[in-house]
Amino acid sequence: VPTLSGNINLTIPPDSQSGKRLRVKDKGLASKTGIGDLYAVLKIVIPDKTDEESRQLWKTLSEKTKFNPRREWRTA
Amino acid sequence: VPTLSGNINLTIPPDSQSGKRLRVKDKGLASKTGIGDLYAVLKIVIPDKTDEESRQLWKTLSEKTKFNPRREWRTA
């Protein structure tokens, strides 16, 4: 990840969601009171092209996974 | 997808990205000049818990896929 003071490696916790903020201590703006922290915001991107093989893998994943992607919805 | 006039089924085009807007004709607000369109914004969510089997599938996917998730980055 590029920061104000060069690139760093950032370890993403497993099962992180898009939009999650990760605090990176002392990589933010410097001021009189010290150096601030950098907040890295995760953004999940997916491949813009898929071949037949990976499509099949995505399908297997969706079938194996017990997960309701619409859990946050208030449905009538 | 819940709309102002009840639930509808929305077909998501393959390889759609988070944040993509899909226009649903005539499902928006009604006014004197007619009925507006509804825009559905996609939000990709991923499972908050994963078992060993699906983790393995994710791994296979990431290895098979030729895709640079950091393509939008301006790296120094």
Side-chain angles (χ1 to χ4, degrees):
Chain A
V1 179
T3 75
L4 293 167
S5 53
N7 289 340
I8 58 165
N9 283 320
L10 196 58
T11 306
I12 315 289
D15 304 324
S16 289
Q17 211 59 248
S18 213
K20 188 191 179 100
R21 295 204 319 167
L22 298 177
R23 189 168 67 98
V24 190
K25 210 166 157 34
D26 293 340
K27 289 290 175 186
L29 277 176
S31 74
K32 274 179 197 161
T33 52
I35 303 173
D37 301 331
L38 173 80
Y39 286 90
V41 180
L42 303 189
K43 178 185 168 189
I44 294 178
V45 286
I46 53 174
D48 46 0
K49 270 191 283 181
T50 40
D51 52 27
E52 188 50 50
E53 191 186 2
S54 55
R55 248 196 303 272
Q56 206 52 52
L57 278 166
W58 281 104
K59 214 178 156 200
T60 315
L61 244 182
S62 77
E63 283 158 3
K64 295 274 179 193
T65 308
K66 282 159 193 56
F67 168 59
N68 173 20
R70 299 178 187 85
R71 205 184 37 192
E72 289 174 29
W73 289 18
R74 284 174 293 168
T75 34
Chain B
V1 179
T3 76
L4 293 167
S5 52
N7 289 338
I8 58 166
N9 283 320
L10 196 58
T11 306
I12 316 290
D15 303 324
S16 290
Q17 210 61 249
S18 214
K20 187 192 179 99
R21 294 205 321 167
L22 299 176
R23 188 167 68 100
V24 191
K25 206 164 158 37
D26 293 340
K27 289 291 174 184
L29 277 177
S31 74
K32 273 178 198 164
T33 53
I35 303 174
D37 301 333
L38 172 79
Y39 286 90
V41 180
L42 304 189
K43 178 185 167 189
I44 294 179
V45 286
I46 53 173
D48 46 2
K49 269 190 285 181
T50 41
D51 52 27
E52 188 49 50
E53 191 186 1
S54 53
R55 249 195 303 271
Q56 206 52 51
L57 279 165
W58 281 105
K59 213 177 157 200
T60 314
L61 244 181
S62 76
E63 283 156 4
K64 294 276 180 196
T65 308
K66 283 161 191 53
F67 168 60
N68 172 20
R70 299 177 187 84
R71 205 184 38 194
E72 290 174 28
W73 287 18
R74 285 173 292 170
T75 33

